[in-house]
Amino acid sequence: MSLLESIASPADLKQLDRAALKELSAELRTYIIDSVSRTGGHLASNLGVVELSVALHSVFDTPSDRIVWDVGHQTYAHKILTGRRERMHTLRQTDGLSGFTKREESEYDAFVAGHSSTSISAALGMAVAAKLKGEDRRVVAVIGDGAMTAGMAFEALNNAGAMDANLLVILNDNDMSISANVGALNSYLTKLLSGRFYNNLRTHGERLLSNLPPIHELAKRAEEHIKGMVTPGTLFEEFGFNYLGPIDGHDLDVLIPTLLNIRQLKGPQFLHIVTQKGKGYGLAEANPCLYHGVSKFEVDQGIKAKVSLRPTYTEIFGRWLNDMAEADTRLVGITPAMCEGSGLNEFTERFPTRYFDVGIAEQHALTFAAGLACEGCKPVVAIYSTFLQRAYDQLIHDVALQNLPVMLAIDRAGLVGADGPTHAGAFDISFLRCIPNMLIATPSNENECRQLLSTAYQFDGPSAVRYPRGTGPGAEISLTLDTLPIGKGIVRRQGHKVAILAFGSVVTAAIQVAEARDATLADMRFVKPIDRDLIESLAKSHDYLVTLEENVVMGGAGTAVAEVLVELKLQKPTLHLGLPDRFVEHGDPAVLLARCGLDANGIQASLNKFLPE
């Protein structure tokens, strides 16, 4: 039996000496590489925190002590060490382990994390709660350097530094090489500065010198100067944290003693560690971006380029963006740290001065775009549906209120499969359609996507085009930049009695149902402005109406249709189909759509119940 197989819980780690913990880390890294190669998932980020995961669970008393992982896509080692090793083969699979932390999954998962930069806020809340309840527990937030670009992280730091809560923030810095100051001298100094002797001396010295203001100020400046020579911690000290580091996050001989010392300290502590994404797997070390999120692969061969006969919607957007940028020099492309995921790779190379990656800062992205639009630019913000939720106020107040021509290219609309509920785009139609001045388009195939992107771009106001993850039905794509009539749908099939009004990606399944039922099928194309004339015509010429969308039913496109019917005083039996009023778990996309009743068989079944015999 391997050392890893003997670990059933973090309690087992505490029985191992330092040499054994190093051996365990090596086994754990190998296990993660093998496991992810079989299931797919996040790889590079997980390989970078193996030693940190081992150190945290060996030093802290989890789950009583809380560890809050930012985003959660670097928690595979954490999952394995907390009793889920034998279920790793189900990772991100239907009814299997989540790819992120999940409170319902384990008592060791302190907080659900799918969006970045939330860890410090959540951990601070837990630390304050412990203090209010008189519980002696420690709370740790692990956050990456990329997540520190979000304003929320700094809001939390600012708040935490003013409180006397026992909170440790670990900055996992994996975007820089381990420079000279992360060597033996700095490791020694960090262990020294994290020790009780130094901190007691510091605390009592402050009390003594506070009665002698000039000397106290001199001592404070001297300390800052000395620490500033070996650490970049002045910023975090100003927030009220005791800054320690940077240290090598892969060196257990430094990491564990430092954490043991910090665990004895009171108040807000900040530990800066430096790690390497993809550590231990050469291909991931060389290209951590490529190996961030992976499909199944052969370990010895690595990721092979996929050959697809059909472009994804993301690729269609990327090509359209390049073509429109060529035609209109006013166009600028903006992304909140999702260049590759949103299809902007080629755009960055062809139009580098018109490309802006603002980091994980969705709120800033929208207001930044608003500022550009005020000065005559035509911003296109490429953003996932789930991340647009974070910039809702900015969309309303800074973009829509001023009726600015900011275009949202909303990727990952609808269900997203293995990434699960934290990344699903289930709500964007509902939260967008209530905003004045908005145009909302829902393409049903590849060519329509390109056409509606052009339509939205030319619209003189805020606009959004939502499209799903993956490929479409395979429609032939025109290379022109033609637009479509705003607010007008099209009848794809003429039938009798039943009219299906479909929005976006569900049109493909609806075609099968319409043919089987001899029903009329309308591809509505727009949620706002919605095609009132088409709705009226279909309502008057059919006995039953069915609305269909890959968005929650409440407040969605179906609701928009119902509102029109009420205004027109048309009473017509109407069935609204869409995503259910619950968070849809991760799994195979086809299985999830079937469970939600949004595949052809599910739609048929719903119609059978709705229509009379």
Side-chain angles (χ1 to χ4, degrees):
M1 182 171 66
S2 68
L3 189 56
L4 180 59
E5 290 174 324
S6 68
I7 305 299
S9 74
D12 297 324
L13 296 178
K14 302 182 189 306
Q15 310 304 315
L16 303 179
D17 59 22
R18 195 76 52 77
L21 290 175
K22 292 177 183 178
E23 180 184 344
L24 175 66
S25 298
E27 291 185 11
L28 191 53
R29 182 168 276 110
T30 300
Y31 187 87
I32 290 173
I33 295 170
D34 181 67
S35 178
V36 175
S37 74
R38 298 170 186 271
T39 64
H42 293 95
L43 183 61
S45 54
N46 280 287
L47 295 179
V49 295
V50 168
E51 287 81 9
L52 177 62
S53 303
V54 169
L56 285 172
H57 281 296
S58 64
V59 169
F60 290 91
D61 185 21
T62 56
S64 178
D65 289 337
R66 314 293 196 218
I67 301 176
V68 181
W69 299 88
D70 208 87
V71 182
H73 63 221
Q74 75 275 43
T75 56
Y76 295 0
H78 160 80
K79 286 175 181 279
I80 294 167
L81 295 172
T82 53
R84 287 168 276 183
R85 177 177 54 81
E86 294 185 354
R87 294 191 63 207
M88 285 297 289
H89 69 281
T90 71
L91 185 74
R92 293 162 52 89
Q93 312 299 306
T94 306
D95 300 325
L97 289 178
S98 169
F100 304 93
T101 47
K102 186 175 181 181
R103 283 166 57 86
E104 300 96 318
E105 188 176 288
S106 172
E107 62 179 338
Y108 291 94
D109 290 0
F111 197 74
V112 173
H115 289 185
S116 83
S117 316
T118 62
S119 58
I120 303 175
S121 296
L124 177 60
M126 295 175 188
V128 170
K131 183 177 180 181
L132 291 173
K133 295 189 293 183
E135 297 174 345
D136 183 22
R137 72 168 83 248
R138 294 294 181 271
V139 182
V140 182
V142 181
I143 185 168
D145 54 308
M148 288 296 291
T149 62
M152 185 175 179
F154 284 93
E155 291 172 13
L157 285 173
N158 184 58
N159 191 203
M163 294 188 180
D164 190 28
N166 294 326
L167 171 67
L168 167 60
V169 174
I170 297 179
L171 172 60
N172 177 31
D173 185 350
N174 54 26
D175 199 31
M176 57 178 284
S177 60
I178 298 177
S179 55
N181 64 353
V182 190
L185 174 60
N186 196 66
S187 296
Y188 169 75
L189 287 171
T190 299
K191 285 191 284 186
L192 176 66
L193 294 174
S194 68
R196 273 195 261 187
F197 172 76
Y198 170 79
N199 279 272
N200 286 338
L201 182 63
R202 184 172 183 266
T203 301
H204 295 309
E206 284 183 352
R207 291 174 185 168
L208 176 64
L209 295 175
S210 62
N211 297 319
L212 303 168
I215 300 177
H216 177 257
E217 183 63 23
L218 177 63
K220 181 179 180 181
R221 292 192 179 190
E223 179 192 36
E224 290 178 352
H225 178 68
I226 293 170
K227 293 181 74 173
M229 289 191 298
V230 292
T231 70
T234 303
L235 172 64
F236 302 107
E237 292 277 6
E238 290 298 325
F239 275 116
F241 281 78
N242 177 36
Y243 174 90
L244 301 160
I247 62 173
D248 186 346
H250 299 299
D251 188 347
L252 290 177
D253 289 328
V254 175
L255 196 53
I256 289 177
T258 300
L259 290 174
L260 285 169
N261 285 336
I262 292 176
R263 196 179 188 281
Q264 307 305 314
L265 303 180
K266 302 294 184 181
Q269 310 293 322
F270 193 101
L271 176 62
H272 183 175
I273 70 170
V274 176
T275 61
Q276 181 180 17
K277 283 184 178 179
K279 176 75 171 178
Y281 184 45
L283 294 173
E285 290 179 356
N287 195 341
C289 186
L290 178 64
Y291 283 84
H292 172 70
V294 301
S295 301
K296 298 177 183 179
F297 67 97
E298 295 294 332
V299 175
D300 57 341
Q301 299 178 20
I303 297 174
K304 299 298 181 182
K306 293 182 179 179
V307 178
S308 176
L309 299 178
R310 290 183 290 172
T312 65
Y313 279 104
T314 301
E315 291 170 338
I316 292 165
F317 163 71
R319 295 171 188 173
W320 169 86
L321 188 67
N322 292 324
D323 293 343
M324 185 59 78
E326 191 73 48
D328 188 347
T329 58
R330 297 174 300 165
L331 184 150
V332 293
I334 302 170
T335 178
M338 294 303 297
C339 175
E340 292 80 10
S342 293
L344 296 174
N345 307 60
E346 185 179 345
F347 183 83
T348 66
E349 297 174 0
R350 292 181 57 183
F351 308 97
T353 62
R354 293 154 64 186
Y355 165 74
F356 301 96
D357 183 346
V358 300
I360 303 176
E362 294 87 357
Q363 295 167 303
H364 165 61
L366 267 291
T367 305
F368 173 58
L372 285 163
C374 284
E375 299 301 322
C377 294
K378 292 278 287 184
V380 177
V381 181
I383 191 168
Y384 289 9
S385 174
T386 184
F387 299 139
L388 177 60
Q389 296 163 186
R390 312 186 86 182
Y392 193 51
D393 178 67
Q394 286 68 30
L395 177 58
I396 295 173
H397 189 274
D398 300 334
V399 176
L401 180 63
Q402 302 182 88
N403 199 28
L404 294 171
V406 173
M407 176 183 159
L408 303 174
I410 305 177
D411 205 332
R412 270 65 166 179
L415 300 181
V416 292
D419 281 336
T422 60
H423 284 60
F427 312 108
D428 55 77
I429 289 179
S430 300
F431 70 66
L432 287 174
R433 61 174 292 265
C434 62
I435 303 175
N437 298 327
M438 286 294 305
L439 177 147
I440 309 168
T442 57
S444 63
N445 61 47
E446 296 89 339
N447 193 52
E448 197 170 84
C449 182
R450 184 176 171 93
Q451 292 173 314
L452 287 175
L453 286 167
S454 295
T455 305
Y457 180 78
Q458 300 297 348
F459 181 67
D460 189 22
S463 61
V465 181
R466 75 184 303 259
Y467 44 90
R469 183 177 192 172
T471 58
E476 184 176 348
I477 305 172
S478 170
L479 298 180
T480 66
L481 294 171
D482 295 338
T483 61
L484 296 173
I486 291 177
K488 293 298 179 182
I490 185 173
V491 174
R492 295 285 184 191
R493 184 189 189 281
Q494 188 64 53
H496 302 87
K497 291 188 178 181
V498 178
I500 302 173
L501 290 72
F503 296 81
S505 58
V506 289
V507 167
T508 301
I511 290 174
Q512 301 177 47
V513 176
E515 291 176 348
R517 282 272 178 183
D518 189 23
T520 295
L521 172 63
D523 174 359
M524 297 301 292
R525 289 181 171 169
F526 293 89
V527 175
K528 188 174 185 179
I530 199 162
D531 194 339
R532 296 168 59 88
D533 293 338
L534 181 55
I535 293 172
E536 182 177 11
S537 173
L538 294 173
K540 288 181 177 180
S541 58
H542 293 77
D543 298 330
Y544 304 94
L545 300 181
V546 179
T547 67
L548 191 59
E549 63 193 296
E550 196 173 336
N551 183 86
V552 291
V553 172
M554 287 191 291
T559 303
V561 172
E563 290 168 355
V564 172
L565 293 174
V566 170
E567 291 175 10
L568 296 174
K569 296 183 174 59
L570 292 174
Q571 295 185 353
K572 188 68 58 173
T574 305
L575 173 65
H576 299 297
L577 298 179
L579 297 178
D581 184 25
R582 59 180 171 80
F583 292 103
V584 180
E585 295 298 332
H586 62 277
D588 180 85
V591 173
L592 298 181
L593 282 173
R595 289 184 176 182
C596 293
L598 292 181
D599 64 343
N601 290 335
I603 298 168
Q604 280 276 31
S606 295
L607 279 174
N608 291 338
K609 293 180 182 179
F610 175 66
L611 299 175
E613 295 293 336

